[in-house]
Amino acid sequence: MVEVTVTPQSSLADRPVQIRVRGLSPSQLVTLRAWLKDEQGECFQSRAFFRADGAGEVDPGLHAALGGSYSGVWPMGLLWFLQPDTLFRRLVKRDVAGSPFRVRLEVFDGLCLGADPREQPLASCEAERWYLGPGVQRVPIREGRVRGALFLPP
């Protein structure tokens, strides 16, 4: 049974996570896809192609992506290379305190280039990426023409 995991499942957006796929056949070619919808409902996604090792596992921190949104060893590549489906959109988190970005990770057999809704993933999971740590207070700043926010630790 194929399984994809993100450890930790919930983390701050600037903290590294480990993505692992287990239960594949040795040398199996797979596509890992990450996607999320921002607060406006815009979809951002990335994908990378991997060949499983002899134990049937894929770890983007150890194994090089063969292509897709990036190539080479990038432990956080699936999260760093998220691109919008609509041109000229930027991934911006406006409500930093209220909710996380929920990133969906999926594993597909072989090379999966499009977002064909009939294509079913072998496995999937969800990770939460928070932009404000527990207990941190956000104070809006307005002084003349200066606008900003002060983040105070607990």
Side-chain angles (χ1 to χ4, degrees), residues 19-99:
I19 300 168
R20 294 191 85 175
V21 181
R22 294 183 176 102
L24 300 167
S25 300
S27 300
Q28 182 176 351
L29 188 61
V30 294
T31 301
L32 266 64
R33 179 172 84 125
W35 65 273
L36 64 82
K37 287 197 176 191
D38 70 2
E39 293 151 330
Q40 268 64 49
E42 194 66 41
C43 188
F44 291 77
Q45 63 179 315
S46 65
R47 71 187 69 241
F49 313 126
F50 292 93
R51 188 166 301 281
D53 64 13
E57 296 183 0
V58 169
D59 180 345
L62 299 174
H63 304 120
L66 306 173
S69 301
Y70 66 96
S71 59
V73 178
W74 292 81
M76 300 285 292
L78 287 166
L79 302 176
W80 289 342
F81 291 97
L82 288 166
Q83 294 293 315
D85 285 353
T86 305
L87 292 177
F88 308 113
R89 298 288 182 158
R90 290 183 43 203
L91 184 58
V92 176
K93 182 70 172 144
R94 301 202 189 287
D95 179 18
V96 296
S99 63

Side-chain angles (χ1 to χ4, degrees), residues 122-137:
L122 299 173
S124 64
C125 71
E126 190 172 84
E128 293 180 345
R129 303 292 281 170
W130 290 89
Y131 283 76
L132 194 65
V136 173
Q137 181 183 2

